[in-house]
Structure formats: structure tokens, C-alpha cells
């Protein structure tokens, strides 16, 4: 998911969410994330921003399902992920 906020800096709770939409993560970003979790098994959640020019800035990686998957991703897409993991 990609979220849009009413300011350049996200400082909770002084931020207003303007919108959200599905977003395909670029391959180069996926390669960076895959390298970070190369020997990890399980679900994890990356929180990051894309800076002007397209560079990724990772804030945190959590070894759990994130709120966007739990609440914002369309149910059929989330279901497909869990079926793949259960496979």
C-alpha cells in the first residue's frame, strides 16, 4: 500500500491521511529488502518512504503482519498471500 499524507514530514499524531492505493514495489526496492532478510523465515513488514528521485528510505522492519496487510490490503489479495504461505 502507498499512503499519501498532508505534509512532507510524518509526525504522529500531527498528520492527516489524504489517501491510499495499491502500489507495486519496484524490483530494485524488493532486491534491497530481500537482501536484508536473506536468512529470515516468516512474515515481516517493511515501513519505508520513497524519496525524491526514487531512492528508498527504510524506517523499520517488523517480524509480524503490518497494519496495512491486516486492514488496508484488499481481502482477496491478502487471502492469496496466506494461501501461498499455507501451501
Amino acid at each position: 500500500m502507498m499512503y499519501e499524507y498532508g505534509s512532507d514530514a510524518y509526525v504522529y499524531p500531527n498528520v492527516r491521511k489524504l489517501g491510499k492505493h495499491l502500489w507495486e514495489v519496484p524490483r530494485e526496492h524488493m532486491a534491497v529488502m530481500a537482501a536484508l532478510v536473506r536468512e529470515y523465515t516468516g512474515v515481516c513488514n517493511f515501513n519505508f518512504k520513497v524519496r525524491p528521485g526514487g531512492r528508498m528510505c527504510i524506517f523499520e522492519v517488523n517480524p509480524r503482519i503490518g497494519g496495512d496487510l491486516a486492514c488496508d490490503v484488499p481481502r482477496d489479495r491478502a487471502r492469496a498471500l496466506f494461501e501461498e504461505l499455507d501451501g
Side-chain angles (χ1 to χ4, degrees):
M1 295 297 299
M2 178 178 280
Y3 300 92
E4 182 183 359
Y5 294 95
S7 63
D8 289 335
Y10 180 98
V11 180
Y12 184 83
N14 302 318
V15 66
R16 186 175 58 124
K17 186 173 9 174
L18 301 176
K20 63 184 178 186
H21 62 274
L22 287 176
W23 180 66
E24 287 297 321
V25 178
R27 286 181 191 239
E28 59 271 14
H29 294 181
M30 290 294 288
V32 170
M33 290 184 263
L36 287 171
V37 296
R38 183 179 356 228
E39 296 184 28
Y40 175 77
T41 59
V43 173
C44 66
N45 177 53
F46 280 82
N47 290 326
F48 65 97
K49 279 186 122 177
V50 178
R51 294 184 176 203
R55 291 192 62 207
M56 178 173 58
C57 178
I58 298 173
F59 296 112
E60 63 182 358
V61 181
N62 296 300
R64 60 173 167 74
I65 295 172
D68 48 357
L69 179 59
C71 301
D72 294 336
V73 171
R75 297 295 86 196
D76 59 334
R77 196 163 182 168
R79 185 179 304 107
L81 169 68
F82 290 118
E83 287 173 353
E84 182 73 25
L85 293 173
D86 194 36

PDB file of all heavy atoms in Angstrom, residues 10-38:
ATOM      1  N   TYR A  10       6.085  13.085   8.304  1.00  0.00           N
ATOM      2  CA  TYR A  10       5.076  12.310   9.026  1.00  0.00           C
ATOM      3  C   TYR A  10       5.447  12.342  10.505  1.00  0.00           C
ATOM      4  O   TYR A  10       6.408  11.710  10.917  1.00  0.00           O
ATOM      5  CB  TYR A  10       5.049  10.869   8.511  1.00  0.00           C
ATOM      6  CG  TYR A  10       4.028   9.995   9.212  1.00  0.00           C
ATOM      7  CD1 TYR A  10       2.796   9.766   8.637  1.00  0.00           C
ATOM      8  CD2 TYR A  10       4.306   9.407  10.438  1.00  0.00           C
ATOM      9  CE1 TYR A  10       1.855   8.967   9.261  1.00  0.00           C
ATOM     10  CE2 TYR A  10       3.373   8.615  11.074  1.00  0.00           C
ATOM     11  CZ  TYR A  10       2.151   8.401  10.484  1.00  0.00           C
ATOM     12  OH  TYR A  10       1.222   7.610  11.114  1.00  0.00           O
ATOM     13  N   VAL A  11       4.708  13.129  11.292  1.00  0.00           N
ATOM     14  CA  VAL A  11       4.929  13.200  12.736  1.00  0.00           C
ATOM     15  C   VAL A  11       3.584  12.918  13.403  1.00  0.00           C
ATOM     16  O   VAL A  11       2.706  13.777  13.451  1.00  0.00           O
ATOM     17  CB  VAL A  11       5.479  14.576  13.174  1.00  0.00           C
ATOM     18  CG1 VAL A  11       5.698  14.610  14.680  1.00  0.00           C
ATOM     19  CG2 VAL A  11       6.761  14.910  12.429  1.00  0.00           C
ATOM     20  N   TYR A  12       3.442  11.665  13.887  1.00  0.00           N
ATOM     21  CA  TYR A  12       2.188  11.254  14.512  1.00  0.00           C
ATOM     22  C   TYR A  12       2.075  11.899  15.883  1.00  0.00           C
ATOM     23  O   TYR A  12       3.063  11.972  16.601  1.00  0.00           O
ATOM     24  CB  TYR A  12       2.154   9.728  14.631  1.00  0.00           C
ATOM     25  CG  TYR A  12       0.844   9.218  15.169  1.00  0.00           C
ATOM     26  CD1 TYR A  12      -0.232   9.038  14.324  1.00  0.00           C
ATOM     27  CD2 TYR A  12       0.695   8.948  16.517  1.00  0.00           C
ATOM     28  CE1 TYR A  12      -1.438   8.582  14.814  1.00  0.00           C
ATOM     29  CE2 TYR A  12      -0.513   8.499  17.012  1.00  0.00           C
ATOM     30  CZ  TYR A  12      -1.570   8.321  16.160  1.00  0.00           C
ATOM     31  OH  TYR A  12      -2.757   7.892  16.646  1.00  0.00           O
ATOM     32  N   PRO A  13       0.936  12.403  16.289  1.00  0.00           N
ATOM     33  CA  PRO A  13      -0.382  12.356  15.650  1.00  0.00           C
ATOM     34  C   PRO A  13      -0.688  13.597  14.803  1.00  0.00           C
ATOM     35  O   PRO A  13      -1.815  13.787  14.396  1.00  0.00           O
ATOM     36  CB  PRO A  13      -1.324  12.279  16.848  1.00  0.00           C
ATOM     37  CG  PRO A  13      -0.655  13.122  17.884  1.00  0.00           C
ATOM     38  CD  PRO A  13       0.835  12.897  17.659  1.00  0.00           C
ATOM     39  N   ASN A  14       0.302  14.433  14.552  1.00  0.00           N
ATOM     40  CA  ASN A  14       0.080  15.683  13.820  1.00  0.00           C
ATOM     41  C   ASN A  14       0.189  15.498  12.315  1.00  0.00           C
ATOM     42  O   ASN A  14       0.928  16.212  11.647  1.00  0.00           O
ATOM     43  CB  ASN A  14       1.086  16.735  14.287  1.00  0.00           C
ATOM     44  CG  ASN A  14       0.983  16.984  15.776  1.00  0.00           C
ATOM     45  OD1 ASN A  14      -0.108  17.056  16.319  1.00  0.00           O
ATOM     46  ND2 ASN A  14       2.104  17.077  16.441  1.00  0.00           N
ATOM     47  N   VAL A  15      -0.545  14.533  11.801  1.00  0.00           N
ATOM     48  CA  VAL A  15      -0.521  14.251  10.369  1.00  0.00           C
ATOM     49  C   VAL A  15      -1.924  13.840   9.938  1.00  0.00           C
ATOM     50  O   VAL A  15      -2.677  13.263  10.714  1.00  0.00           O
ATOM     51  CB  VAL A  15       0.523  13.152  10.041  1.00  0.00           C
ATOM     52  CG1 VAL A  15       0.116  11.837  10.636  1.00  0.00           C
ATOM     53  CG2 VAL A  15       0.762  13.030   8.562  1.00  0.00           C
ATOM     54  N   ARG A  16      -2.263  14.160   8.703  1.00  0.00           N
ATOM     55  CA  ARG A  16      -3.597  13.826   8.179  1.00  0.00           C
ATOM     56  C   ARG A  16      -3.432  12.949   6.944  1.00  0.00           C
ATOM     57  O   ARG A  16      -2.742  13.316   5.998  1.00  0.00           O
ATOM     58  CB  ARG A  16      -4.340  15.103   7.830  1.00  0.00           C
ATOM     59  CG  ARG A  16      -5.764  14.901   7.410  1.00  0.00           C
ATOM     60  CD  ARG A  16      -6.429  16.245   7.200  1.00  0.00           C
ATOM     61  NE  ARG A  16      -5.677  16.997   6.201  1.00  0.00           N
ATOM     62  CZ  ARG A  16      -6.207  17.492   5.091  1.00  0.00           C
ATOM     63  NH1 ARG A  16      -7.483  17.353   4.854  1.00  0.00           N
ATOM     64  NH2 ARG A  16      -5.466  18.144   4.226  1.00  0.00           N
ATOM     65  N   LYS A  17      -4.075  11.768   6.960  1.00  0.00           N
ATOM     66  CA  LYS A  17      -4.011  10.872   5.806  1.00  0.00           C
ATOM     67  C   LYS A  17      -4.970  11.374   4.736  1.00  0.00           C
ATOM     68  O   LYS A  17      -6.146  11.592   5.002  1.00  0.00           O
ATOM     69  CB  LYS A  17      -4.358   9.438   6.197  1.00  0.00           C
ATOM     70  CG  LYS A  17      -4.154   8.487   5.043  1.00  0.00           C
ATOM     71  CD  LYS A  17      -4.294   6.993   5.271  1.00  0.00           C
ATOM     72  CE  LYS A  17      -4.806   6.458   6.506  1.00  0.00           C
ATOM     73  NZ  LYS A  17      -5.014   5.010   6.502  1.00  0.00           N
ATOM     74  N   LEU A  18      -4.440  11.564   3.521  1.00  0.00           N
ATOM     75  CA  LEU A  18      -5.253  12.045   2.411  1.00  0.00           C
ATOM     76  C   LEU A  18      -5.779  10.914   1.543  1.00  0.00           C
ATOM     77  O   LEU A  18      -6.832  11.046   0.931  1.00  0.00           O
ATOM     78  CB  LEU A  18      -4.443  13.007   1.540  1.00  0.00           C
ATOM     79  CG  LEU A  18      -3.891  14.248   2.235  1.00  0.00           C
ATOM     80  CD1 LEU A  18      -3.033  15.055   1.274  1.00  0.00           C
ATOM     81  CD2 LEU A  18      -5.011  15.092   2.809  1.00  0.00           C
ATOM     82  N   GLY A  19      -5.021   9.818   1.472  1.00  0.00           N
ATOM     83  CA  GLY A  19      -5.463   8.712   0.636  1.00  0.00           C
ATOM     84  C   GLY A  19      -4.505   7.539   0.700  1.00  0.00           C
ATOM     85  O   GLY A  19      -3.456   7.603   1.331  1.00  0.00           O
ATOM     86  N   LYS A  20      -4.902   6.457   0.036  1.00  0.00           N
ATOM     87  CA  LYS A  20      -4.081   5.244  -0.034  1.00  0.00           C
ATOM     88  C   LYS A  20      -4.455   4.503  -1.312  1.00  0.00           C
ATOM     89  O   LYS A  20      -5.563   4.648  -1.824  1.00  0.00           O
ATOM     90  CB  LYS A  20      -4.295   4.351   1.180  1.00  0.00           C
ATOM     91  CG  LYS A  20      -5.715   3.819   1.292  1.00  0.00           C
ATOM     92  CD  LYS A  20      -5.914   3.021   2.535  1.00  0.00           C
ATOM     93  CE  LYS A  20      -7.376   2.577   2.601  1.00  0.00           C
ATOM     94  NZ  LYS A  20      -7.701   1.918   3.814  1.00  0.00           N
ATOM     95  N   HIS A  21      -3.485   3.750  -1.840  1.00  0.00           N
ATOM     96  CA  HIS A  21      -3.758   2.934  -3.016  1.00  0.00           C
ATOM     97  C   HIS A  21      -2.736   1.807  -3.109  1.00  0.00           C
ATOM     98  O   HIS A  21      -1.661   1.878  -2.519  1.00  0.00           O
ATOM     99  CB  HIS A  21      -3.774   3.784  -4.291  1.00  0.00           C
ATOM    100  CG  HIS A  21      -2.475   4.445  -4.600  1.00  0.00           C
ATOM    101  ND1 HIS A  21      -2.115   5.654  -4.074  1.00  0.00           N
ATOM    102  CD2 HIS A  21      -1.434   4.056  -5.366  1.00  0.00           C
ATOM    103  CE1 HIS A  21      -0.918   5.990  -4.512  1.00  0.00           C
ATOM    104  NE2 HIS A  21      -0.468   5.031  -5.301  1.00  0.00           N
ATOM    105  N   LEU A  22      -3.116   0.759  -3.845  1.00  0.00           N
ATOM    106  CA  LEU A  22      -2.193  -0.342  -4.081  1.00  0.00           C
ATOM    107  C   LEU A  22      -1.037   0.165  -4.922  1.00  0.00           C
ATOM    108  O   LEU A  22      -1.218   1.007  -5.802  1.00  0.00           O
ATOM    109  CB  LEU A  22      -2.894  -1.487  -4.804  1.00  0.00           C
ATOM    110  CG  LEU A  22      -3.869  -2.307  -3.975  1.00  0.00           C
ATOM    111  CD1 LEU A  22      -4.560  -3.336  -4.857  1.00  0.00           C
ATOM    112  CD2 LEU A  22      -3.158  -2.993  -2.836  1.00  0.00           C
ATOM    113  N   TRP A  23       0.147  -0.377  -4.661  1.00  0.00           N
ATOM    114  CA  TRP A  23       1.346   0.091  -5.328  1.00  0.00           C
ATOM    115  C   TRP A  23       2.273  -1.089  -5.518  1.00  0.00           C
ATOM    116  O   TRP A  23       2.503  -1.862  -4.595  1.00  0.00           O
ATOM    117  CB  TRP A  23       1.994   1.162  -4.462  1.00  0.00           C
ATOM    118  CG  TRP A  23       3.248   1.759  -4.977  1.00  0.00           C
ATOM    119  CD1 TRP A  23       3.378   2.538  -6.089  1.00  0.00           C
ATOM    120  CD2 TRP A  23       4.546   1.661  -4.389  1.00  0.00           C
ATOM    121  NE1 TRP A  23       4.690   2.931  -6.213  1.00  0.00           N
ATOM    122  CE2 TRP A  23       5.422   2.408  -5.179  1.00  0.00           C
ATOM    123  CE3 TRP A  23       5.045   1.027  -3.268  1.00  0.00           C
ATOM    124  CZ2 TRP A  23       6.772   2.530  -4.900  1.00  0.00           C
ATOM    125  CZ3 TRP A  23       6.383   1.147  -2.984  1.00  0.00           C
ATOM    126  CH2 TRP A  23       7.228   1.894  -3.788  1.00  0.00           C
ATOM    127  N   GLU A  24       2.797  -1.251  -6.700  1.00  0.00           N
ATOM    128  CA  GLU A  24       3.765  -2.309  -6.973  1.00  0.00           C
ATOM    129  C   GLU A  24       5.149  -1.818  -6.573  1.00  0.00           C
ATOM    130  O   GLU A  24       5.613  -0.797  -7.080  1.00  0.00           O
ATOM    131  CB  GLU A  24       3.745  -2.695  -8.448  1.00  0.00           C
ATOM    132  CG  GLU A  24       2.516  -3.479  -8.855  1.00  0.00           C
ATOM    133  CD  GLU A  24       2.401  -4.829  -8.153  1.00  0.00           C
ATOM    134  OE1 GLU A  24       3.428  -5.513  -7.957  1.00  0.00           O
ATOM    135  OE2 GLU A  24       1.268  -5.192  -7.788  1.00  0.00           O
ATOM    136  N   VAL A  25       5.783  -2.534  -5.680  1.00  0.00           N
ATOM    137  CA  VAL A  25       7.114  -2.154  -5.215  1.00  0.00           C
ATOM    138  C   VAL A  25       8.111  -2.403  -6.349  1.00  0.00           C
ATOM    139  O   VAL A  25       8.137  -3.494  -6.920  1.00  0.00           O
ATOM    140  CB  VAL A  25       7.506  -2.967  -3.959  1.00  0.00           C
ATOM    141  CG1 VAL A  25       8.902  -2.610  -3.495  1.00  0.00           C
ATOM    142  CG2 VAL A  25       6.490  -2.743  -2.845  1.00  0.00           C
ATOM    143  N   PRO A  26       8.936  -1.399  -6.692  1.00  0.00           N
ATOM    144  CA  PRO A  26       9.922  -1.584  -7.765  1.00  0.00           C
ATOM    145  C   PRO A  26      10.891  -2.729  -7.460  1.00  0.00           C
ATOM    146  O   PRO A  26      11.228  -2.983  -6.299  1.00  0.00           O
ATOM    147  CB  PRO A  26      10.659  -0.240  -7.811  1.00  0.00           C
ATOM    148  CG  PRO A  26       9.710   0.741  -7.208  1.00  0.00           C
ATOM    149  CD  PRO A  26       8.952  -0.035  -6.170  1.00  0.00           C
ATOM    150  N   ARG A  27      11.353  -3.394  -8.505  1.00  0.00           N
ATOM    151  CA  ARG A  27      12.267  -4.539  -8.341  1.00  0.00           C
ATOM    152  C   ARG A  27      13.515  -4.189  -7.553  1.00  0.00           C
ATOM    153  O   ARG A  27      13.985  -4.982  -6.748  1.00  0.00           O
ATOM    154  CB  ARG A  27      12.677  -5.083  -9.705  1.00  0.00           C
ATOM    155  CG  ARG A  27      11.601  -5.847 -10.404  1.00  0.00           C
ATOM    156  CD  ARG A  27      12.118  -6.360 -11.736  1.00  0.00           C
ATOM    157  NE  ARG A  27      11.036  -6.867 -12.530  1.00  0.00           N
ATOM    158  CZ  ARG A  27      10.988  -8.106 -12.968  1.00  0.00           C
ATOM    159  NH1 ARG A  27      11.949  -8.943 -12.710  1.00  0.00           N
ATOM    160  NH2 ARG A  27       9.963  -8.507 -13.682  1.00  0.00           N
ATOM    161  N   GLU A  28      14.067  -3.006  -7.790  1.00  0.00           N
ATOM    162  CA  GLU A  28      15.288  -2.636  -7.064  1.00  0.00           C
ATOM    163  C   GLU A  28      15.031  -2.479  -5.564  1.00  0.00           C
ATOM    164  O   GLU A  28      15.879  -2.806  -4.754  1.00  0.00           O
ATOM    165  CB  GLU A  28      15.950  -1.385  -7.656  1.00  0.00           C
ATOM    166  CG  GLU A  28      15.088  -0.143  -7.676  1.00  0.00           C
ATOM    167  CD  GLU A  28      14.242   0.025  -8.934  1.00  0.00           C
ATOM    168  OE1 GLU A  28      14.081  -0.932  -9.717  1.00  0.00           O
ATOM    169  OE2 GLU A  28      13.732   1.138  -9.129  1.00  0.00           O
ATOM    170  N   HIS A  29      13.850  -2.033  -5.190  1.00  0.00           N
ATOM    171  CA  HIS A  29      13.498  -1.947  -3.769  1.00  0.00           C
ATOM    172  C   HIS A  29      13.314  -3.346  -3.188  1.00  0.00           C
ATOM    173  O   HIS A  29      13.751  -3.624  -2.068  1.00  0.00           O
ATOM    174  CB  HIS A  29      12.227  -1.128  -3.573  1.00  0.00           C
ATOM    175  CG  HIS A  29      12.378   0.303  -3.947  1.00  0.00           C
ATOM    176  ND1 HIS A  29      11.346   1.205  -3.820  1.00  0.00           N
ATOM    177  CD2 HIS A  29      13.412   1.011  -4.456  1.00  0.00           C
ATOM    178  CE1 HIS A  29      11.743   2.399  -4.231  1.00  0.00           C
ATOM    179  NE2 HIS A  29      12.999   2.294  -4.625  1.00  0.00           N
ATOM    180  N   MET A  30      12.656  -4.225  -3.949  1.00  0.00           N
ATOM    181  CA  MET A  30      12.466  -5.610  -3.499  1.00  0.00           C
ATOM    182  C   MET A  30      13.812  -6.306  -3.299  1.00  0.00           C
ATOM    183  O   MET A  30      13.978  -7.075  -2.350  1.00  0.00           O
ATOM    184  CB  MET A  30      11.613  -6.388  -4.498  1.00  0.00           C
ATOM    185  CG  MET A  30      10.168  -5.942  -4.528  1.00  0.00           C
ATOM    186  SD  MET A  30       9.290  -6.275  -2.994  1.00  0.00           S
ATOM    187  CE  MET A  30       9.150  -8.036  -3.089  1.00  0.00           C
ATOM    188  N   ALA A  31      14.778  -6.017  -4.173  1.00  0.00           N
ATOM    189  CA  ALA A  31      16.105  -6.628  -4.044  1.00  0.00           C
ATOM    190  C   ALA A  31      16.788  -6.200  -2.750  1.00  0.00           C
ATOM    191  O   ALA A  31      17.409  -7.016  -2.068  1.00  0.00           O
ATOM    192  CB  ALA A  31      16.970  -6.264  -5.251  1.00  0.00           C
ATOM    193  N   VAL A  32      16.653  -4.939  -2.379  1.00  0.00           N
ATOM    194  CA  VAL A  32      17.233  -4.449  -1.123  1.00  0.00           C
ATOM    195  C   VAL A  32      16.567  -5.143   0.065  1.00  0.00           C
ATOM    196  O   VAL A  32      17.241  -5.633   0.980  1.00  0.00           O
ATOM    197  CB  VAL A  32      17.078  -2.914  -1.000  1.00  0.00           C
ATOM    198  CG1 VAL A  32      17.444  -2.432   0.390  1.00  0.00           C
ATOM    199  CG2 VAL A  32      17.917  -2.208  -2.054  1.00  0.00           C
ATOM    200  N   MET A  33      15.238  -5.222   0.044  1.00  0.00           N
ATOM    201  CA  MET A  33      14.516  -5.860   1.149  1.00  0.00           C
ATOM    202  C   MET A  33      14.861  -7.348   1.238  1.00  0.00           C
ATOM    203  O   MET A  33      15.072  -7.866   2.338  1.00  0.00           O
ATOM    204  CB  MET A  33      13.010  -5.645   0.988  1.00  0.00           C
ATOM    205  CG  MET A  33      12.603  -4.205   1.211  1.00  0.00           C
ATOM    206  SD  MET A  33      10.822  -3.963   1.142  1.00  0.00           S
ATOM    207  CE  MET A  33      10.636  -3.409  -0.538  1.00  0.00           C
ATOM    208  N   ALA A  34      14.941  -8.020   0.101  1.00  0.00           N
ATOM    209  CA  ALA A  34      15.280  -9.448   0.093  1.00  0.00           C
ATOM    210  C   ALA A  34      16.670  -9.685   0.673  1.00  0.00           C
ATOM    211  O   ALA A  34      16.887 -10.643   1.420  1.00  0.00           O
ATOM    212  CB  ALA A  34      15.191 -10.003  -1.326  1.00  0.00           C
ATOM    213  N   ALA A  35      17.606  -8.800   0.372  1.00  0.00           N
ATOM    214  CA  ALA A  35      18.964  -8.948   0.907  1.00  0.00           C
ATOM    215  C   ALA A  35      18.976  -8.792   2.431  1.00  0.00           C
ATOM    216  O   ALA A  35      19.725  -9.484   3.126  1.00  0.00           O
ATOM    217  CB  ALA A  35      19.898  -7.925   0.266  1.00  0.00           C
ATOM    218  N   LEU A  36      18.146  -7.921   2.948  1.00  0.00           N
ATOM    219  CA  LEU A  36      18.093  -7.704   4.399  1.00  0.00           C
ATOM    220  C   LEU A  36      17.529  -8.898   5.159  1.00  0.00           C
ATOM    221  O   LEU A  36      17.869  -9.104   6.318  1.00  0.00           O
ATOM    222  CB  LEU A  36      17.275  -6.457   4.725  1.00  0.00           C
ATOM    223  CG  LEU A  36      17.940  -5.126   4.396  1.00  0.00           C
ATOM    224  CD1 LEU A  36      16.951  -3.986   4.570  1.00  0.00           C
ATOM    225  CD2 LEU A  36      19.160  -4.914   5.280  1.00  0.00           C
ATOM    226  N   VAL A  37      16.656  -9.654   4.534  1.00  0.00           N
ATOM    227  CA  VAL A  37      16.003 -10.778   5.226  1.00  0.00           C
ATOM    228  C   VAL A  37      16.408 -12.126   4.628  1.00  0.00           C
ATOM    229  O   VAL A  37      15.692 -13.114   4.784  1.00  0.00           O
ATOM    230  CB  VAL A  37      14.458 -10.615   5.230  1.00  0.00           C
ATOM    231  CG1 VAL A  37      14.051  -9.385   6.022  1.00  0.00           C
ATOM    232  CG2 VAL A  37      13.900 -10.552   3.822  1.00  0.00           C
ATOM    233  N   ARG A  38      17.558 -12.182   4.008  1.00  0.00           N
ATOM    234  CA  ARG A  38      18.006 -13.379   3.288  1.00  0.00           C
ATOM    235  C   ARG A  38      17.923 -14.651   4.131  1.00  0.00           C
ATOM    236  O   ARG A  38      17.505 -15.679   3.655  1.00  0.00           O
ATOM    237  CB  ARG A  38      19.428 -13.171   2.782  1.00  0.00           C
ATOM    238  CG  ARG A  38      19.958 -14.313   1.962  1.00  0.00           C
ATOM    239  CD  ARG A  38      21.369 -14.049   1.471  1.00  0.00           C
ATOM    240  NE  ARG A  38      21.826 -12.727   1.838  1.00  0.00           N
ATOM    241  CZ  ARG A  38      22.398 -11.862   1.018  1.00  0.00           C
ATOM    242  NH1 ARG A  38      22.621 -12.187  -0.210  1.00  0.00           N
ATOM    243  NH2 ARG A  38      22.773 -10.674   1.426  1.00  0.00           N
TER     244      ARG A  38
END
